[in-house]
Amino acid sequence: GDSVTQMEGPVTLSEEAFLTINCTYTATGYPSLFWYVQYPGEGLQLLLKATKADDKGSNKGFEATYRKETTSFHLEKGSVQVSDSAVYFCALTPGGYQKVTFGTGTKLQVIP
Amino acid sequence: DSGVTQTPKHLITATGQRVTLRCSPRSGDLSVYWYQQSLDQGLQFLIQYYNGEERAKGNILERFSAQQFPDLHSELNLSSLELGDSALYFCASSARLAGTYNEQFFGPGTRLTVL
């Protein structure tokens, strides 16, 4: 079945550091890929998405590129802020369906 | 604010009991999804309803059931509760059933504690 594997956390970075959170997936067909973010005490919010190979999703300074050859969708940000502290989930949905498979989440803590 | 509401925010109950969690989707959304988030299992998809009908089932236990009503709100019923059912339960909604992609909007969750 479909699965998403993302790097273990927590990740602790200083403000303005470069962020990478790795995500790889296993799926049949051509899934759509997402990053969701969960701020403390809140539900998940869609951060960015990519629906086909080589697409780059971007939002709020975060980027991720859909790499079919390496089945990866790594999340990057050039300069993190304290306000980026949250849990980040990589996820996929198979083409044509709405069931979303989530990774285990990576907690990011940014310190001033 | 996603537009999805969930009640109650917190629920504390005892083993063996039954509880009902409620979700109101965003205005106009026809699909409702339920997820369970626990420390050891991560975020697990439970079940999806579209316009009152069950459309997809995930890792939902037989002790759990859900339904979507004509006004599109949904309820998740958890019975014969066990300690391991303690978790955050999220509801999400989206506008359409299928397509290349429909963003899901998540509610704030209901935190269930089983003692």
Side-chain angles (χ1 to χ4, degrees):
Chain A
D2 298 339
S3 67
V4 176
T5 302
Q6 57 183 108
M7 63 188 287
E8 294 278 334
V11 173
T12 302
L13 295 174
S14 297
E15 208 165 20
E16 299 184 3
F18 185 86
L19 168 71
T20 300
I21 300 178
N22 290 335
C23 170
T24 57
Y25 68 90
T26 302
T28 54
Y30 302 94
S32 295
L33 303 174
F34 318 106
W35 278 100
Y36 281 83
V37 58
Q38 183 179 26
Y39 297 104
E42 297 183 12
L44 279 71
Q45 303 173 26
L46 180 65
L47 180 61
L48 54 83
K49 67 180 187 288
T51 57
K52 61 182 187 297
D54 300 324
D55 266 2
K56 177 185 281 189
S58 61
N59 186 25
K60 299 181 181 179
F62 290 89
E63 292 183 340
T65 301
Y66 189 144
R67 301 286 187 202
K68 191 162 178 64
E69 64 276 11
T70 55
T71 61
S72 65
F73 193 54
H74 305 320
L75 182 68
E76 296 182 336
K77 186 175 186 183
S79 176
V80 294
Q81 306 300 312
V82 172
S83 58
D84 294 327
S85 298
V87 181
Y88 292 82
F89 292 89
C90 185
L92 68 82
T93 187
Y97 293 89
Q98 290 298 291
K99 177 186 172 183
V100 181
T101 299
F102 287 89
T104 52
T106 301
K107 184 174 183 178
L108 170 66
Q109 183 178 18
V110 181
I111 54 178
Chain B
D1 184 356
S2 67
V4 178
T5 60
Q6 290 187 248
T7 56
K9 194 171 178 62
H10 301 279
L11 197 50
I12 300 175
T13 188
T15 55
Q17 296 297 305
R18 173 189 169 95
V19 297
T20 298
L21 313 183
R22 183 187 169 101
C23 168
S24 293
R26 289 189 321 155
S27 177
D29 282 0
L30 300 177
S31 274
V32 169
Y33 313 79
W34 286 98
Y35 295 88
Q36 179 193 58
Q37 185 179 34
S38 60
L39 284 176
D40 56 344
Q41 295 287 326
L43 193 62
Q44 301 281 327
F45 167 73
L46 295 178
I47 198 163
Q48 178 205 357
Y49 279 82
Y50 174 78
N51 203 20
E53 293 187 6
E54 181 184 308
R55 286 295 180 167
K57 219 171 205 180
N59 301 321
I60 188 166
L61 299 172
E62 284 191 12
R63 300 182 286 109
F64 297 0
S65 64
Q67 58 184 128
Q68 186 179 27
F69 294 86
D71 67 352
L72 300 177
H73 90 272
S74 178
E75 293 181 355
L76 179 67
N77 300 296
L78 315 176
S79 62
S80 303
L81 285 167
E82 302 175 359
L83 295 178
D85 297 327
S86 296
L88 257 175
Y89 290 84
F90 287 107
C91 168
S93 73
S94 69
R96 299 194 304 274
L97 173 63
T100 54
Y101 171 68
N102 290 294
E103 179 179 350
Q104 293 186 22
F105 294 84
F106 281 76
T110 292
R111 181 171 293 282
L112 173 66
T113 302
V114 182
L115 301 176

